[in-house]
């Protein structure tokens, strides 16, 4: 029985097989909510900070060998996580954004060095309330007719929030509910006109509504957060026909003069449609019957007289003009009426007329005895005088023209008609021997051709006006268009001249009365301004009307969110914070969005009748002095944010100062150089002044002096002058002095120096120095040569004296 060896062989093979087997490592699956394992069903909030440890990979190896961990991503995606290969700690290395990427795919692996096990995992990114609601399809500008019924839907706004859950739900509200004519549905965003509210184009042409969109709130980085956004809805009110016509230039007065021709225009009534947005045409008509005396042009409103003024029996006519708007068929027509007063005016165009017993008479005769009693009435004369003008035009004076002091006429002043009486004033003057016939006129100085006056107009301001030559009535040219805003006053001269050529001048001033026909205008309908805490800012509107009160503007805040923050000066337009607000913290607490920006709707309304108004949207950023103190340049930029031209002006002023300084420096430098750029001598000739010769000298001394003459004149070259102009035209260079023999040696003597300037040089004495005593004197020939050269040089110097 030999069974031992086979059994031993099988056991040996089994041991070899067991020694070679190595099982792969594997991850633990710890289930949902676990932060270690194989990341199965793992989710991560999107607001997790970068660098956070978010998970730990955990696994084991059956043989207990050391294991390592790895994580990888698709090359087309971001590598959001990193892993510690030894401990399996996973760290977030990129920011998460659920709205952009709501899940992350990754491949995690575990290895024991021989075996690698990989798994594909999906990490869910959960939402955090990190998105702000955003309005879509901005800007919101709509047009609404002013007659829209109360409670009607006007517009619908829509905002989106990309968050989920409560953070993604949006509700709507108006920033200022109490001072608005509008309301908004909280959930749908539908904007409506409130019950009982109306729009009026004539009072306000535009409304600016601030809408707030707010999410439902949610967690963000461990805190509860609610986000909101705002937008402005601009509602432009469209004009509809709901306002009656308005008469311009009331009250109306017209005048018909007695020389006015039938068919002449008396005055013009002007009316405009009260609906200025889309005005209708206006038709005119007379309401009361005028007995065919007057008529009105139905389109222009011009009133004309149809009959001759002589046929008119009344002095004053009261007319009523009705205007009617021309509307589309089927719609009611708006109407208005106005009274018109027309007065019949008499002209002084009838001279007084004398009447006798048989009618008009211009010659009266009477025979009488001489020397009648003083005060006797000449009863043989039956004279009546009459003026057919009316009122003051029928008043005239009487006087006798002829020998003075003999008779007196009574009355001297007549109104309309009077009996003329002539009374003896000087009986002695009535003498048959002196005069058998006395002739007198009882005349009115304003009668006959001398009483006719012709009027004319001239001057620089008379182009737009005409004057009636006989009545003096001034009226405008048919083509003239007067505008008080352009020119409010005209002046010209009127000349009144009689038939005898006598005349007088009068200056006429015509003042145009302004009509309120302009709206106040802001520079911009939407303005952005910066307010420094404690300092007011100003908004301004101008009215182009010419006179008060039409061009006076009052300001008011028609809308502000929140309400009790700003006050406005009604006259100046200055806007300031209420006295209770003294810090930015106080502003921050009452602002819905927590910032320092506000939107105001400011109305500018004139004081005319009818009154017109305009609104502007004002956006205000508020800062304080601490922010301004960060730097002078920052403060300057903030202060000039509302007025960029101020910054330009300051910069222009600085540049002007720099240019002025540069010009001054350049001018000073130029004049300094000009003074220094003179033609200066290059060389100077210096000559020793000779000492007076004694009367008695020794021959040796004289010879010495002659020999010394050679040392009198020495040419000395000055250093070149850079500022010299040696080539100056017209300047001649004097000749050089001839070369002299070397001077004899002599004892030193102190001699006075004198400089003789020339154009090209100068002679200068040698500097004082100790000269060696001459051992020998020159001979007679040498002395004569020196003397001759000296004489020639001095003669030459006198000839060239112009250069000295």
């Amino acid at each position: 029985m030999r069974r031992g060896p086979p059994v031993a062989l099988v056991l040996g093979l089994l041991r070899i097989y067991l020694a070679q087997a190595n099982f792969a490592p594997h991850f633990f699956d710890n289930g949902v909510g676990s932060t270690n394992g194989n990341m199965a069903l793992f989710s991560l909030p999107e607001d997790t900070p970068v660098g956070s440890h978010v998970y730990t990979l955990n696994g084991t190896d059956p043989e207990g060998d050391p294991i390592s961990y790895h994580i990888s991503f698709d090359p087309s995606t971001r590598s959001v996580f990193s892993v510690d290969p030894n401990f399996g700690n996973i760290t977030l290395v990129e920011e998460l954004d659920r709205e952009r990427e709501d899940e992350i795919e990754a491949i995690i692996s575990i290895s024991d060095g021989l075996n690698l096990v990989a798994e594909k995992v999906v990490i869910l990114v959960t939402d955090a309330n990190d998105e702000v609601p955003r309005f879509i399809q901005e800007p919101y500008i709509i047009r609404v007719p002013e007659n829209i019924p109360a409670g009607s839907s006007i517009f619908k706004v829509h905002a989106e929030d990309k968050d989920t859950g409560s953070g993604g739900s949006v509700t709507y509200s108006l920033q200022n509910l109490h001072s608005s004519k509008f309301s908004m549905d909280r959930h749908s965003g539908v904007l409506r006109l409130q019950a009982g509210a109306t729009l009026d184009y004539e009072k306000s042409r535009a409304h600016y509504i601030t809408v707030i969109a707010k999410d439902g709130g949610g967690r963000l980085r461990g805190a509860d957060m609610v986000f909101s956004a705002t937008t402005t809805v601009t509602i432009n009110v469209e004009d509809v026909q709901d306002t009656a016509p308005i008469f311009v230039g009331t009250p109306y007065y017209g005048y018909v003069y007695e020389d006015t021709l039938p068919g002449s225009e008396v005055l013009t009534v002007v009316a405009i449609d009260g609906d200025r947005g889309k005005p209708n045409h206006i038709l005119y008509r007379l309401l009361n019957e005028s007995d065919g005396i007057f008529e009105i042009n139905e389109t222009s409103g011009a009133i004309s007289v149809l009959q001759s003024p002589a046929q008119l029996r009344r002095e004053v006519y009261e007319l009523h003009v009705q205007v009617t708007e021309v509307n589309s068929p089927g719609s009611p027509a708006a109407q208005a009426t106005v009274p018109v007063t027309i007065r019949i005016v008499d002209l002084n165009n009838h001279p007084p007329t004398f009447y006798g017993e048989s009618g008009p008479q211009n010659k009266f005769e009477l025979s009488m005895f001489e020397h009648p009693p003083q005060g006797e009435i000449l009863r043989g004369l039956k004279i009546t005088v009459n003026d057919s003008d009316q009122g003051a035009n029928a008043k005239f004076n009487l006087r006798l023209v002829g020998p003075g002091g003999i008779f007196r006429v009574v009355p001297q002043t007549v109104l309309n008609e009077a009996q003329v009486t002539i009374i003896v004033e000087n009986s002695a003057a009535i003498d048959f021997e002196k005069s058998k016939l006395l002739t007198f006129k009882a005349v009115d100085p304003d009668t006959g051709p001398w009483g006719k006056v012709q009027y004319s107009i001239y001057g620089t301001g008379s182009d737009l006006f005409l004057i009636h030559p006989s009545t003096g009535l001034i009226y405008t040219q048919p083509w003239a268009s007067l505008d008080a805003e352009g020119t409010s006053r005209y002046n010209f001269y009127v000349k009144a001249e009689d038939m005898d050529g006598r005349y007088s001048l009068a200056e006429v001033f015509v003042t145009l009365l302004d009509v309120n026909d302009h709206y106040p205008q802001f520079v911009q309908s939407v303005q952005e301004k910066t307010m420094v805490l404690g300092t007011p800012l100003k908004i301004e509107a101008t009215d182009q009307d010419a006179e008060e009160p039409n061009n006076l503007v009052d300001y008011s805040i028609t809308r502000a969110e929140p309400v009790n923050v700003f006050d406005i000066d009604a006259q100046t337009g200055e806007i300031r914070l209420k006295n209770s607000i003294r810090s930015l913290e106080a502003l921050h607490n009452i602002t819905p969005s927590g910032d320092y920006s506000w939107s105001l709707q400011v109305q500018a309304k004139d004081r005319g009748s009818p009154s017109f108004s305009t609104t502007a949207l004002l956006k205000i950023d508020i800062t304080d002095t601490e922010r301004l103190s960060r730097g002078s340049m920052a403060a300057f930029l903030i202060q000039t944010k509302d007025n960029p031209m101020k910054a330009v002006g300051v910069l222009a002023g600085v540049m002007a100062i720099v240019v002025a300084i540069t010009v001054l420096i350049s001018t000073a430098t130029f004049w300094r150089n000009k003074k220094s750029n003179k033609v200066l001598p290059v060389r100077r000739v210096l000559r020793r002044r000779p000492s007076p010769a004694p009367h008695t000298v020794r021959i040796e001394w004289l010879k010495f002096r002659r020999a010394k003459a050679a040392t009198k004149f020495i040419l000395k070259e000055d250093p070149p002058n850079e500022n010299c102009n040696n080539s100056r035209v017209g300047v001649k260079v004097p000749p050089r002095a001839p070369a002299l023999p070397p001077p004899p040696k002599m004892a030193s003597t102190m001699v006075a120096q004198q400089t003789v300037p020339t154009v090209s040089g100068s002679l200068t004495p040698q500097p004082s120095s100790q000269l060696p005593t001459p051992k020998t004197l020159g001979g007679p020939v040498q002395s004569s040569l020196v003397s001759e050269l000296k004489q020639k040089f001095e003669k030459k110097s006198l000839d060239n004296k112009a250069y000295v």
Side-chain angles (χ1 to χ4, degrees):
M1 293 182 61
R2 298 179 63 183
R3 300 180 179 177
V7 175
L9 179 60
V10 171
L11 293 175
L13 292 174
L14 182 61
R15 291 192 189 98
I16 294 172
Y17 175 77
L18 292 175
Q20 292 178 350
N22 190 342
F23 296 97
H26 63 274
F27 287 103
F28 294 123
D29 186 359
N30 294 329
V32 180
S34 174
T35 58
N36 64 80
N38 62 352
M39 302 184 79
L41 301 177
F42 175 63
S43 63
L44 188 65
E46 63 175 328
D47 60 344
T48 303
V50 175
S52 301
H53 172 211
V54 297
Y55 198 85
T56 300
L57 294 178
N58 193 5
T60 184
D61 183 72
E63 290 80 22
D65 293 333
I67 57 177
S68 61
Y69 303 96
H70 306 277
I71 187 170
S72 61
F73 300 89
D74 187 278
S76 62
T77 62
R78 298 185 302 156
S79 298
V80 180
F81 303 104
S82 65
V83 65
D84 186 320
N86 297 321
F87 299 101
N89 294 331
I90 292 181
T91 303
L92 181 67
V93 295
E94 293 279 350
E95 285 188 354
L96 301 179
D97 187 355
R98 187 202 65 83
E99 289 73 30
R100 187 178 62 176
E101 190 177 15
D102 58 356
E103 61 180 27
I104 301 171
E105 292 185 356
I107 298 177
I108 58 174
S109 59
I110 184 172
S111 174
D112 61 359
L114 294 178
N115 301 297
L116 178 67
V117 177
E119 296 182 8
K120 183 178 181 180
V121 295
V122 177
I123 298 98
L124 300 178
V125 181
T126 60
D127 186 47
N129 190 25
D130 62 342
E131 292 291 328
V132 177
R134 299 184 184 277
F135 288 94
I136 61 175
Q137 298 180 348
E138 290 185 295
Y140 299 133
I141 301 176
I142 59 176
R143 303 181 69 86
V144 178
E146 63 175 334
N147 61 348
I148 184 173
S152 300
S153 299
I154 297 176
F155 188 68
K156 181 179 180 180
V157 298
H158 182 64
E160 292 181 348
D161 193 316
K162 295 181 180 180
D163 291 320
T164 59
S166 62
S169 63
V170 179
T171 57
Y172 305 92
S173 62
L174 297 182
Q175 199 170 51
N176 189 359
L177 296 175
H178 301 288
S179 61
S180 175
K181 296 183 177 183
F182 306 92
S183 63
M184 174 158 285
D185 187 273
R186 175 179 177 83
H187 300 288
S188 65
V190 174
L191 182 66
R192 290 187 173 89
L193 184 65
Q194 286 188 4
T198 58
L199 301 180
D200 191 342
Y201 176 86
E202 284 70 35
K203 292 183 178 179
S204 181
R205 297 185 179 185
H207 298 272
Y208 303 95
I209 308 300
T210 301
V211 180
I212 302 174
K214 184 168 61 175
D215 63 20
R219 302 286 293 178
L220 178 65
R221 297 182 182 90
D224 291 327
M225 297 296 295
V226 176
F227 290 102
S228 63
T230 60
T231 189
T232 299
V233 179
T234 301
I235 303 175
N236 292 320
V237 181
E238 291 183 332
D239 192 21
V240 297
Q241 294 299 325
D242 61 348
T243 305
I246 300 172
F247 288 96
V248 179
T250 57
Y252 293 115
Y253 294 98
Y255 299 93
V256 176
Y257 297 88
E258 63 175 319
D259 63 344
T260 302
L261 299 178
S264 300
E265 181 179 319
V266 180
L267 80 159
T268 300
V269 176
V270 179
I272 58 175
D273 188 355
D275 301 300
R276 303 299 297 275
K278 298 178 181 179
N280 287 330
H281 292 292
I282 301 293
L283 295 180
Y284 302 84
R285 75 183 185 95
L286 292 175
L287 282 182
N288 54 331
E289 294 295 332
S290 60
D291 299 328
I293 300 175
F294 300 97
E295 71 172 2
I296 188 169
N297 187 296
E298 69 172 3
T299 57
S300 68
I303 299 177
S304 303
V305 60
L306 301 179
Q307 299 181 8
S308 172
Q311 300 174 331
L312 305 182
R313 297 295 177 261
R314 292 158 55 185
E315 292 186 3
V316 178
Y317 289 84
E318 291 288 343
L319 307 180
H320 287 83
V321 177
Q322 182 186 70
V323 293
T324 305
E325 294 182 14
V326 180
N327 286 347
S328 56
S331 59
Q335 296 178 336
T337 59
V338 67
V340 177
T341 302
I342 298 179
R343 184 178 298 276
I344 309 302
V345 179
D346 177 66
L347 297 178
N348 188 17
N349 58 349
H350 292 90
T353 304
F354 292 95
Y355 293 88
E357 294 180 342
S358 58
Q361 186 175 338
N362 57 10
K363 185 176 182 180
F364 298 87
E365 294 182 354
L366 174 68
S367 298
M368 60 180 297
F369 293 101
E370 65 178 346
H371 304 299
Q374 189 82 11
E376 181 179 345
I377 298 176
L378 304 184
R379 301 186 181 277
L381 296 177
K382 304 291 185 179
I383 304 175
T384 303
V385 65
N386 176 273
D387 191 325
S388 59
D389 289 321
Q390 301 295 322
N393 294 331
K395 182 179 180 180
F396 57 93
N397 298 324
L398 292 178
R399 65 185 177 90
L400 289 174
V401 178
I406 300 178
F407 297 100
R408 177 165 56 93
V409 63
V410 177
Q412 295 183 352
T413 300
V414 179
L415 179 62
N416 199 265
E417 184 177 288
Q419 295 291 329
V420 179
T421 301
I422 297 178
I423 303 174
V424 176
E425 187 79 11
N426 186 356
S427 176
I430 305 175
D431 191 343
F432 180 82
E433 286 74 18
K434 293 182 180 179
S435 179
K436 298 180 176 60
L437 179 67
L438 294 176
T439 303
F440 296 91
K441 294 180 179 179
V443 300
D444 172 20
D446 296 327
T447 62
W450 295 274
K452 293 183 179 180
V453 178
Q454 293 290 324
Y455 300 96
S456 58
I457 183 174
Y458 66 95
T460 56
S462 63
D463 299 340
L464 300 176
F465 301 92
L466 295 173
I467 189 169
H468 195 284
S470 59
T471 64
L473 175 65
I474 299 174
Y475 51 96
T476 58
Q477 295 273 13
W479 48 264
S481 177
L482 303 181
D483 186 3
E485 287 76 34
T487 303
S488 61
R489 191 176 186 184
Y490 299 87
N491 68 296
F492 47 84
Y493 291 92
V494 171
K495 180 179 181 181
E497 185 175 12
D498 61 17
M499 300 300 293
D500 198 28
R502 299 178 180 179
Y503 68 92
S504 64
L505 298 177
E507 188 173 9
V508 178
F509 294 90
V510 178
T511 301
L512 299 186
L513 300 180
D514 183 45
V515 176
N516 191 27
D517 55 353
H518 287 84
Y519 284 83
Q521 295 292 331
F522 290 99
V523 178
Q524 294 177 336
S525 59
V526 179
Q527 303 183 27
E528 295 184 0
K529 292 182 177 291
T530 300
M531 174 184 284
V532 180
L533 197 67
T535 303
L537 58 86
K538 186 175 183 180
I539 189 170
E540 187 174 5
T542 57
D543 193 307
Q544 297 299 325
D545 286 309
E547 298 178 358
E548 298 179 357
N550 297 335
N551 59 5
L552 296 179
V553 178
D554 292 328
Y555 302 91
S556 61
I557 297 176
T558 57
R559 181 184 60 83
E561 297 91 8
V563 255
N564 301 315
V565 174
F566 297 98
D567 286 327
I568 189 170
D569 190 298
Q571 280 72 41
T572 64
E574 282 193 351
I575 300 175
R576 61 179 70 244
L577 293 172
K578 289 187 176 294
N579 296 332
S580 59
I581 301 175
R582 297 194 175 103
S583 66
L584 291 180
E585 289 73 15
L587 289 172
H588 185 79
N589 294 333
I590 63 176
T591 307
S593 56
D595 57 14
Y596 305 107
S597 299
W598 281 264
S599 295
L600 304 180
Q601 179 175 306
V602 179
Q603 181 187 68
K605 184 177 182 181
D606 64 28
R607 301 181 185 177
S609 178
S611 178
F612 298 117
S613 64
T614 307
T615 59
L617 180 63
L618 181 61
K619 297 181 179 180
I620 302 177
D621 294 329
I622 300 182
T623 184
D624 57 4
T625 54
E626 294 182 0
R627 295 186 180 185
L628 289 178
S629 61
R630 295 174 184 172
S632 58
M633 182 56 67
F636 174 74
L637 293 177
I638 291 178
Q639 292 175 355
T640 58
K641 176 182 178 183
D642 302 330
N643 188 5
M645 294 306 298
K646 180 180 179 181
V648 175
V650 172
L651 294 178
V654 173
M655 293 178 64
I657 293 174
V658 172
V659 171
I661 294 175
T662 304
V663 170
L664 291 176
I665 294 176
S666 301
T667 304
T669 305
F670 170 77
W671 285 108
R672 184 190 66 184
N673 293 339
K674 185 174 181 181
K675 290 181 179 180
S676 62
N677 283 347
K678 293 181 178 179
V679 179
L680 298 179
V682 179
R683 295 173 295 177
R684 291 179 297 169
V685 178
L686 302 180
R687 183 181 63 185
R688 296 180 183 273
R689 184 186 300 273
S691 300
H695 295 285
T696 304
V697 294
R698 293 180 302 172
I699 297 299
E700 293 79 7
W701 187 87
L702 179 59
K703 292 181 179 179
F704 173 77
R705 293 293 296 172
R706 290 179 178 176
K708 190 178 178 182
T711 64
K712 276 188 179 181
F713 304 93
I714 299 176
L715 287 175
K716 180 180 179 181
E717 296 289 340
D718 284 346
N721 190 347
E722 295 180 357
N723 294 325
C724 288
N725 186 357
N726 294 329
S727 60
R728 184 174 178 181
V729 179
V731 179
K732 296 182 179 180
V733 181
R736 293 176 176 266
L740 300 179
K745 296 181 181 180
M746 63 188 75
S748 66
T749 57
M750 300 300 295
V751 183
Q753 299 182 357
Q754 180 180 5
T755 300
V756 182
T758 66
V759 174
S760 61
S762 61
L763 296 176
T764 181
Q766 289 181 339
S768 182
S769 60
Q770 294 294 333
L771 296 178
T773 305
K775 296 181 181 179
T776 59
L777 296 175
V781 176
Q782 184 179 3
S783 299
S784 300
L785 178 61
V786 170
S787 177
E788 182 180 358
L789 289 174
K790 173 187 175 185
Q791 293 176 0
K792 290 183 177 180
F793 183 78
E794 289 178 348
K795 183 176 182 299
K796 192 68 174 181
S797 300
L798 292 175
D799 295 337
N800 296 316
K801 191 175 182 181
Y803 297 97
V804 178

